[in-house]
């Protein structure tokens, strides 16, 4: 099976980390963690959806627990917002937005590369629900689908338990965009009524990571 280009790209990026991962006894241990990320989703292979909407942003949060030598599991959720471009639907003028709520389970591998730096590779499986809100949208304006994604992140500690980092990922949902979701029969100037590919995004984000463990910097519990 041919992998999507973003998936293959992420796999290539993991190779240097895997090659350099060695057993270093002096490195910190991974612990119970909460991660939050502010993400810019970039639609991939969804030209119709991309022409009609503009990305506002995505917020996600997850709590995760280590199981064995950096391998762990987590649960979390995220919310994504897209605005509808009014001029893209002219002469039909309609404002509104598309919101997506996602709940997921997560499996991750974390490893410290130094006393203050660590990386993570992860995979997520869950369910997404799209809500379409606009002047022409039908009353039954929700749609649910299976969700999966992969990602990686690199973090730098600013204190014993607080770190900030850069994340990169890919995600897709098991449904595609159709102009009927907005209550329309067609889009002016376009023959297609739906995207051939399912919803999918390249994810570029900045996030924080908070460890729940005793800190060595002072009397605080973490």
């Amino acid at each position: 099976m041919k992998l999507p280009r973003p998936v293959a790209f992420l796999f290539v990026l993991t190779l240097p980390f895997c090659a350099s991962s060695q057993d270093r006894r002096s490195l910190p241990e991974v612990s119970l963690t909460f991660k939050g990320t502010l993400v810019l989703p970039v639609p991939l292979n969804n030209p119709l959806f991309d022409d009609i909407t503009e990305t506002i942003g995505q917020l996600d949060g997850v709590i995760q627990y280590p199981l064995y030598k950096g391998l762990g599991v987590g649960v979390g959720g995220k919310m994504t917002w897209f605005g509808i471009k009014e001029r893209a639907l002219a002469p039909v003028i309609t404002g509104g937005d598309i919101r997506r709520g996602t709940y997921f389970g997560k499996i991750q591998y974390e490893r410290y590369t130094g006393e203050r730096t660590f990386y993570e590779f992860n995979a997520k499986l869950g369910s997404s629900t799209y809500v379409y809100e606009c002047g022409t949208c039908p009353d039954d304006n929700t749609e649910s689908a299976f969700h999966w994604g992969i990602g990686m992140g690199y973090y730098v500690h600013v204190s014993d338990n607080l770190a900030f980092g850069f994340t990169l990922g890919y995600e897709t949902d098991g449904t595609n965009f159709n102009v009927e979701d907005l209550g329309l029969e067609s889009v002016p100037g376009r023959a297609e009524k739906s995207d051939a590919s399912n919803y999918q995004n390249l994810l570029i984000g900045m996030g924080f990571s908070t460890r729940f463990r005793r800190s060595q910097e002072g009397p605080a519990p973490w």
Side-chain angles (χ1 to χ4, degrees), residues 8-20:
F9 176 65
L10 289 175
F11 176 75
V12 171
L13 285 181
T14 65
L15 294 180
F17 292 103
C18 295
S20 62

Side-chain angles (χ1 to χ4, degrees), residues 37-44 46 49-50 53-60 78-83 98 100 102 130 147 167-173 199-206:
T37 313
L38 175 62
V39 178
L40 177 65
V42 180
L44 297 173
N46 302 133
F49 180 78
D50 196 25
T53 66
E54 56 187 354
T55 302
I56 298 174
Q58 176 176 293
L59 291 174
D60 72 51
K78 53 188 172 183
M79 193 73 186
T80 315
W81 294 267
F82 299 94
I98 299 173
R100 182 191 67 169
T102 304
Y130 287 82
H147 169 89
T167 64
L168 182 65
Y170 168 83
E171 66 177 10
T172 183
D173 294 315
Y199 285 109
Q200 51 187 314
N201 300 300
L202 176 67
L203 306 175
I204 303 170
M206 300 292 293

Side-chain angles (χ1 to χ4, degrees), residues 13 29 39 70 73 87-88 110 115 128 143 155 159 183 190 197 203-204 207-209 218:
L13 285 181
E29 294 292 331
V39 178
V73 295
R87 293 184 178 180
E110 293 180 282
E115 294 183 358
S128 292
E143 184 177 21
Y155 294 83
S159 67
R190 302 200 63 137
S197 300
L203 306 175
I204 303 170
F208 70 89
S209 172

Side-chain angles (χ1 to χ4, degrees), residues 15 19 73 78 84 141 151 155 172 176 182 193 210 214 217:
L15 294 180
V73 295
K78 53 188 172 183
I84 299 175
N141 61 348
Y155 294 83
T172 183
N176 64 340
L182 304 183
K193 297 182 179 181
T210 301
R214 185 172 297 277
E217 296 180 342

Side-chain angles (χ1 to χ4, degrees), residues 124-147:
K124 299 174 182 177
L125 298 174
S127 177
S128 292
T129 299
Y130 287 82
V131 179
Y132 305 91
E133 293 285 354
C134 65
T136 59
C137 290
D139 293 335
D140 183 14
N141 61 348
T142 63
E143 184 177 21
S144 297
F146 175 73
H147 169 89

Side-chain angles (χ1 to χ4, degrees), residues 168-188:
L168 182 65
Y170 168 83
E171 66 177 10
T172 183
D173 294 315
T175 187
N176 64 340
F177 175 72
N178 191 302
V179 295
E180 293 180 356
D181 297 329
L182 304 183
L184 302 175
E185 294 183 358
S186 62
V187 175

